Every structure is written in structure tokens, then in C-alpha cells.
Amino acid sequence: MLAETITLAFQAIRRNAMRSFLTVLGVIIGVAAVVAMVTIGQGASDQVTAQIEGQGANLIFLSAVEGEFDAPAKPFDSDDVEALIEQIPAVLTAAPFGSTQMTLVNGNLNHATQVTGTDSRYLIVTGRNLIHGRAFTPGEEASGVAVCILGETVRQALFGRADPVGMRIRLGAISCEVVGLLEPLGGGGFGRDEDDIVLIPMRTFQRRIQGTRDIYAIQIALRDGTSNSGGVSAIESLMRERRRIAPDEDDDFNVLSMDQIAEMLADVTGVLTGLLASIAGVSLLVGGIGIMNIMLVSVTERTREIGIRLAVGAQAGQVLMQFLIEAVVLSMFGGVIGLVLGFVLAAVVAQYMGIPFSPDLAVAALAFVFSAFIGVVFGYFPARRAARLDPIEALRHQ
Amino acid sequence: MTDTVIELQGVTRVYGAGDTEVRALDGIDLVIRKGEFVAIMGPSGSGKSTALNVLGCLDSPTSGQYRFKGVEVGTLDRDQRALLRRHFLGFVFQGYNLLPRTSALMNVELPLIYKGMPRQDRLVAAAAALDKVGLAHRAHHDPSELSGGQQQRVAIARALAGNPEVILADEPTGNLDTKRSVEIMELLQGLNRDGMTIIMVTHEDDMAEYAGRLIWMVDGRIERDAPTRKAVADAG
Ligand SMILES: Nc1ncnc2c1ncn2[C@@H]1O[C@H](COP(=O)(O)OP(=O)(O)OP(=O)(O)O)[C@@H](O)[C@H]1O
Ligand SMILES: [Mg+2]
């Protein structure tokens, strides 16, 4: 009998092609939306995580700011940098860091970017390499001459494909010789472009741009295998000592580890994913309401159908089983198409936005189950009410 | 005249309550034996369809007793009543009640599916039933592509396809011209001769004459219950 009931269910699906199609469409929209949105959101947050990990998880930013709103505080000096390296065993190396936005000019090409004053230890701290040219010499760093190292984005903006090493560019009023070219990090997509950067010696930055010998930020790399939080607290206590902060006073500097940044970014991408998920939830609901409508609209006709079946000798259970199979088949069909469509959509968007494609099967399963649930509930419950009537009442239903 | 198929005792069917109460059946006593061909006539609204629905186990009496082949129908549950309809009863509705967007053949097949008949037998039986009502050439048409009279005949084919013990037909010739009506009545008569019990509601005296017994209803009651003239003549 089950085989017959399945046959009847498929007959009914074919017989009511339009209704079946709309039901399936509702499920498809719901499932595809959720799957696509969540997959894209997940991809974006994976991307951010990957970028942070690319920065080196051992990186720590030390900045001379205080209070809740990061007001500028007493600056550091170059002795602080040396002290960090010499006195804290966990510190691999450290580099001063100062930066400002400037416009670069080469002939009639110009490009606005972040000009960073630092020293050659910056390359070790950030784990970056030169693909061409050289780093700053100790002499250049001590005297503060105008030399610079370009990132790939800056090179393309000012030189196209030409070799910039040995050429001169202008940084505002400063004429500056290009001595090296950073290896591109690529990436792109979300976050800032790590190749849109120009490095000059810290001393040059201080003398020609900042006008003081102050250092407002230091980038520190911890040795591999040391704990992030241990490094942070060692840096904190060294700085409190050097800056003579009384035990009851707050820090007048800020230590931020990559771990903490990762956490903050995870919060942000969590919000993003949540947002996408709620949009998806709305689509799911819209799809669900669509299914509901179609099912309820067809109740009259279906009630008569049930009356006819009962009249020719069907038992209520058989009729219900048929309706259940029908609803399940339509929902599953829509669900599978929705899943595939959602993943394809997400893959295309991921490709386009340059983020990884990160399918989450749990969410897909959830969307699938939800749609199937709606399909079954609204296909089944009106039918159950009708199957409880006397056949003649079901037949009379208007 | 031996076994009793249908026995009603004081059956009522009341719609609504209070001021709007309608006593569609108002105390029906009736015995129908195996092999009878009964015609029910009466003015519109006299309760003919209601009576037929109750006899067909599509509707439940408000009070009174209905015994089908000795079984008290009131004591059966819904599923048991469904089995009774499935195996013993064939119903022709006043309004056909065919499944829309479903071919004539599939409509006729429907009761056979629930009877659990294998697919091949089912197709043969359904086609034969359609052939009997002269619709073999329309087997693959939907009800919407058939005339009223043709739909009526599909409904009749559906009722007789399962070879039930009793056929209940509510105005089976209501939409047919005289020639078709006569064909259908002769068909029913043939089935009756083979032993099928037939109960038919009709408005036409000519059609009633094919039956052996005529029940005349007024206001939910049986006013007259007698052999038809033809039956008297046949006996005489
Ligand atoms: N579902 C219902 N609700 C209320 N009253 C009903 C219902 N069905 C039938 N009736 C009433 O019961 C009475 C008998 O109706 P029934 O349909 O049995 O008449 P009938 O003899 O078959 O009439 P017709 O020859 O017009 O088909 C009528 O007065 C009708 O109005
Ligand atoms: Mg009637």
C-alpha cells in the first residue's frame, strides 16, 4: 500500500504542477538565501582571520596614548626601543613606528598613501621581505637621509611596471631616493591594502616630517613559542618602570597584542555574519510564508479531494500519508536545489570579492530542516483537519 | 428474497439546531434486500440525497439505527466505515465529484487503488468500466475536457469498477439525454440482474420504471414504498 500511496503523492504533485512549483520555489528561496548569506559571512570572517595570522600572531603594538579615548601621552624615545629588546627575553625585536598620510609624486603621477617612519628591524617585526633593492643602512638610519622603500601598490601607481630602485620621488617637499621594493602581500578584498605603503628611516621621519625626536608607537615581535599574554605583561611592567608610574596610577601607554586585535575583529565579523544571517532569516520567513499561502489557498480544493478519496474507500491515515509524502518530497526537492543554488551563489560571490569559500554544513542543514518543516506543517495540518471530517462534509467544503 | 443488506430503523438526520433546525430525515424505517433495484423519488429537498449519503456511510445519522449486512454501522469507527465503503459500496454523486486535472481512467482507477488491486488488473478493470459506460475513447481526457453527461458516466464507471455489492446513485441520469439515460439504465439493470443491489435517486418516472421498487419521500419521511408497475407486470 505504501508504494501505491507514493504513486498517489507523485500523481498529485504532477496534477498540481503550479502549486508544486510555487512550494518548491518557496523552499528554494529560503534555503538558498540562508546558505549563501552564511557562507559569504563565514568566508569574510575567515579572510580577516587569515589576514591577521599573515601579520604574525606574535606582533604587539605599543603606543603612547592614555585614557579611555586614547589621548596622546608622553612619547617614547629610542632608548625605550632598545630597552624592550635587551631587557625582555621574550621580545625578538622591536621597531619604532611613526606614520602620516602624504602625497607622493613621480613626474606627473601622484599617489596619496601612508608614509611610515621606522628602521630596518621593521622588516623582521612584520615578517616582510624585499624583492628588490636593499634595506636602510645604519648610516642612513643615523643621519636621516631621504631614502625610501616602496610597497607594490605604490610602485604601480608611480612607476607602472618599471623598476623604481635608484629613482627619486617627492614626498611632499622632500626629494627621496627609492632604495628597495617590498615583496607584495596580495590579499585585497576586505581590510586595508598592506602593499599601499612607503617606508622611510625613523630619523628622517622625525627630522623632515614630524619635527621632533618623539616616538609615539613601537611595533614589537615576540619570539616564537612565547606566550602572548606573558609578553604583554612583561612589556607593561618594563614601561611602567621606565616611565616611573606609581603603583596606584594607570598606564600612560597602551599595549595591544595581535590576539586582542583578532578578538576585536572577530566581534566585527561576528556582527557582519549576524547581519547577513538575519537577512537570510527574513528570506527564509518570506519563503515560508509563500509556502504557507499556497498550501492554505489550496485547502478548499484539497478538502474536496480528500472527500472524494474518503468516499471511494480511503482511510484517513492513507490520505494523510499521501499528503505527508507529497509535502516531504516537495520540500526535499526544493531543499536540495536551494542548497546547491546557495553554495553556487556563495562561491561566485566569494570568487568575485576575493574571499575564501567556507561552506557551513550545519547552517545548511538547519535551513533545509526549517523549510522542510514549513512545507510539511502546512501541507499536512490542513489535510489532517479535512481527513477528520465525514466524507460528505469534506465534499461539501466551499 | 433472503438476505437483508440494508436495514434502517427510526433514522433521522438533523441539520442545524433551534430555529434553523432542518430534519432532512425524519424517522426512516427501511429494509432493502440483496439484489433489489430501488428507486427513490420525491420533491426537491425531501431528503433523497441525505438518505443516500447515510446509506453510503458518507454521512452519519443523528439518531436511529443503520445495519449494513447485519452490522450496526453506528458502532463502527471511521476507518471501519471506510473499509465498508471500499469493499461493498459504489457511489455516484449528484455533482460527479471527479478529481480535477486527472484523466477519466485515473479517476475510475482510484477506488481500485484503495482496494489494493495490482496495477495491471486495475488498468484492465478501469478500462472495462469506462467501456461499459461508452467512454473508452475518452479514457485519457480530464474532467474539464468532458461534457456534463460524460463526467456523469465517468462517475458511474468509477462506482461500478470495483464491482461493489451495492451501488448508490444520486440522479445518475440527471445530465443525460434520453438515449444516454436509457443506456445507463439498461447498464444498471444488467448489473442488477447479475446480483448487484442498486439504489437510485431520480426525478424521472421513466427512469424509475427500470427499478423494481419505488420509494416516495416527502419531508424526510417515506410516504409510499411499493413495487413499480413494471415489477407488478413482470410478477403478474
Ligand atoms: N449541509 C446541510 N446543511 C443544512 N441543511 C441541509 C444540508 N444538506 C441538506 N440540507 C437540507 O436538508 C433537506 C434535504 O436535502 P437533500 O439534499 O437530501 O434533498 P434532496 O431530496 O436530495 O433534494 P434534490 O432533489 O434537490 O437533490 C433540505 O431541506 C436541505 O436544505
Ligand atoms: Mg439531492
Side-chain angles (χ1 to χ4, degrees):
Chain A
M1 194 63 219
L2 186 66
E4 300 297 359
T5 310
I6 292 171
T7 311
L8 287 173
F10 276 93
Q11 271 179 18
I13 289 172
R14 237 177 301 135
R15 203 152 56 80
N16 303 296
M18 194 58 179
R19 184 180 65 214
S20 306
F21 169 74
L22 290 173
T23 305
V24 168
L25 194 68
V27 178
I28 290 176
I29 290 172
V31 173
V34 169
V35 168
M37 295 288 187
V38 172
T39 307
I40 291 166
Q42 188 60 45
S45 83
D46 287 358
Q47 157 95 347
V48 169
T49 310
Q51 273 182 352
I52 289 167
E53 274 162 11
Q55 288 268 4
N58 295 335
L59 206 56
I60 290 176
F61 291 99
L62 174 60
S63 46
V65 292
E66 63 187 336
E68 200 181 336
F69 304 106
D70 288 350
K74 190 178 91 176
F76 306 112
D77 57 29
S78 53
D79 290 346
D80 288 324
V81 180
E82 304 312 322
L84 283 164
I85 298 170
E86 278 157 25
Q87 294 179 30
I88 302 175
V91 169
L92 175 66
T93 189
F97 182 89
S99 90
T100 186
Q101 188 78 21
M102 291 182 88
T103 299
L104 280 49
V105 182
N106 175 36
N108 57 3
L109 296 174
N110 59 58
H111 179 69
T113 190
Q114 201 72 20
V115 173
T116 297
T118 184
D119 59 34
S120 48
R121 288 174 297 201
Y122 174 89
L123 297 176
I124 302 166
V125 171
T126 57
R128 300 194 66 161
N129 299 309
L130 296 175
I131 43 168
H132 193 40
R134 58 171 177 83
F136 307 133
T137 63
E140 284 164 348
E141 283 173 356
S143 58
V145 295
V147 289
C148 62
I149 296 172
L150 304 187
E152 179 62 20
T153 305
V154 177
R155 194 241 342 207
Q156 282 174 16
L158 296 183
F159 294 95
R161 290 192 188 162
D163 181 5
V165 174
M167 311 289 281
R168 297 194 82 82
I169 59 171
R170 298 193 65 81
L171 298 185
I174 311 158
S175 171
C176 185
E177 185 196 345
V178 180
V179 297
L181 184 63
L182 285 168
E183 182 180 31
L185 281 182
F190 286 109
R192 70 198 155 88
D193 179 0
E194 300 290 345
D195 296 321
D196 192 4
I197 188 174
V198 174
L199 304 179
I200 61 174
M202 190 64 198
R203 189 75 198 89
T204 316
F205 185 81
Q206 290 168 332
R207 260 184 42 191
R208 312 282 303 264
I209 296 169
Q210 189 173 266
T212 68
R213 300 202 62 151
D214 298 340
I215 295 172
Y216 286 94
I218 301 171
Q219 289 195 14
I220 303 156
L222 297 180
R223 288 181 199 284
D224 279 343
T226 58
S227 100
N228 223 300
S229 56
V232 168
S233 53
I235 292 166
E236 258 169 2
S237 48
L238 178 65
M239 280 300 133
R240 285 182 74 88
E241 186 192 316
R242 290 181 62 83
R243 291 160 81 88
R244 301 201 169 72
I245 300 171
D248 58 338
E249 276 179 279
D250 286 338
D251 292 351
D252 62 352
F253 59 90
N254 182 273
V255 186
L256 194 60
S257 71
M258 219 49 191
D259 275 3
Q260 289 166 294
I261 293 175
E263 248 168 62
M264 278 158 46
L265 279 171
D267 284 352
V268 173
T269 56
V271 169
L272 176 74
T273 306
L275 199 72
L276 289 176
S278 40
I279 294 172
V282 170
S283 318
L284 201 60
L285 207 67
V286 168
I289 290 171
I291 299 170
M292 209 163 90
N293 247 321
I294 294 149
M295 292 296 189
L296 289 179
V297 164
S298 66
V299 161
T300 301
E301 188 190 304
R302 304 233 85 178
T303 302
R304 291 181 63 88
E305 178 187 335
I306 289 170
I308 293 171
R309 292 182 186 281
L310 293 174
V312 301
Q315 292 176 332
Q318 292 172 325
V319 174
L320 285 181
M321 182 54 83
Q322 177 206 319
F323 275 65
L324 192 64
I325 291 171
E326 193 183 321
V328 168
V329 166
L330 289 180
S331 303
M332 293 295 140
F333 187 60
V336 169
I337 296 180
L339 280 185
V340 171
L341 201 69
F343 279 136
V344 167
L345 206 68
V348 168
V349 171
Q351 173 77 25
Y352 180 74
M353 287 173 50
I355 59 177
F357 173 61
S358 319
D360 184 338
L361 288 179
V363 173
L366 197 73
F368 188 90
V369 167
F370 180 77
S371 297
F373 176 76
I374 288 185
V376 169
V377 165
F378 289 96
Y380 183 75
F381 281 92
R384 197 176 68 157
R385 206 173 38 194
R388 280 183 180 158
L389 299 172
D390 258 333
I392 201 71
E393 273 177 89
L395 284 170
R396 237 184 244 135
H397 190 88
Q398 293 306 320
Chain B
M1 297 291 160
T2 43
D3 14 27
T4 299
V5 185
I6 281 168
E7 192 178 354
L8 297 185
Q9 263 174 10
V11 166
T12 68
R13 178 65 170 93
V14 182
Y15 291 111
D19 286 349
T20 61
E21 180 181 289
V22 177
R23 300 183 76 81
L25 297 181
D26 193 9
I28 302 279
D29 298 316
L30 178 64
V31 175
I32 294 173
R33 294 189 178 77
K34 186 167 164 53
E36 275 197 283
F37 189 166
V38 180
I40 302 178
M41 294 187 77
S44 182
S46 56
K48 307 180 295 292
S49 294
T50 308
L52 215 59
N53 291 339
V54 168
L55 292 179
C57 295
L58 300 173
D59 199 358
S60 310
T62 307
S63 68
Q65 288 188 326
Y66 173 18
R67 264 192 293 281
F68 184 86
K69 287 167 80 81
V71 176
E72 181 58 58
V73 175
T75 64
L76 301 181
D77 66 21
R78 304 166 38 75
D79 282 347
Q80 289 169 322
R81 287 203 300 275
L83 292 178
L84 214 140
R85 290 194 293 274
R86 180 186 300 177
H87 294 292
F88 299 107
L89 300 168
F91 209 100
V92 183
F93 294 93
Q94 204 169 356
Y96 331 133
N97 278 324
L98 300 175
L99 285 181
R101 298 185 297 285
T102 304
S103 72
L105 190 69
M106 268 169 153
N107 262 293
V108 176
E109 234 189 303
L110 195 64
L112 306 180
I113 292 178
Y114 289 112
K115 274 195 154 178
M117 194 183 278
R119 194 178 136 76
Q120 275 313 317
D121 301 2
R122 216 159 69 201
L123 287 172
V124 170
L130 275 177
D131 194 35
K132 269 189 194 164
V133 298
L135 274 184
H137 62 299
R138 285 278 184 274
H140 298 288
H141 289 252
D142 287 358
S144 62
E145 300 164 341
L146 299 174
S147 71
Q150 288 172 328
Q151 292 183 49
Q152 180 86 287
R153 279 141 72 198
V154 174
I156 294 169
R158 182 176 64 188
L160 59 85
N163 196 27
E165 242 174 78
V166 180
I167 282 193
L168 301 137
D170 200 348
E171 303 194 32
T173 59
N175 283 291
L176 304 181
D177 56 34
T178 315
K179 185 167 165 284
R180 282 291 177 203
S181 298
V182 168
E183 280 175 28
I184 292 298
M185 294 320 296
E186 282 171 352
L187 173 68
L188 290 178
Q189 216 167 30
L191 292 168
N192 177 244
R193 276 201 204 98
D194 297 341
M196 204 179 276
T197 308
I198 296 173
I199 305 167
M200 168 186 80
V201 170
T202 182
H203 275 123
E204 298 160 88
D205 293 325
D206 293 354
M207 301 305 133
E209 278 307 313
Y210 285 87
R213 174 180 172 190
L214 176 64
I215 291 175
W216 185 265
M217 286 186 70
V218 176
D219 289 342
R221 266 185 276 258
I222 295 178
E223 191 165 274
R224 200 170 68 229
D225 182 353
T228 53
R229 272 172 289 161
K230 173 183 139 289
V232 175
D234 286 354

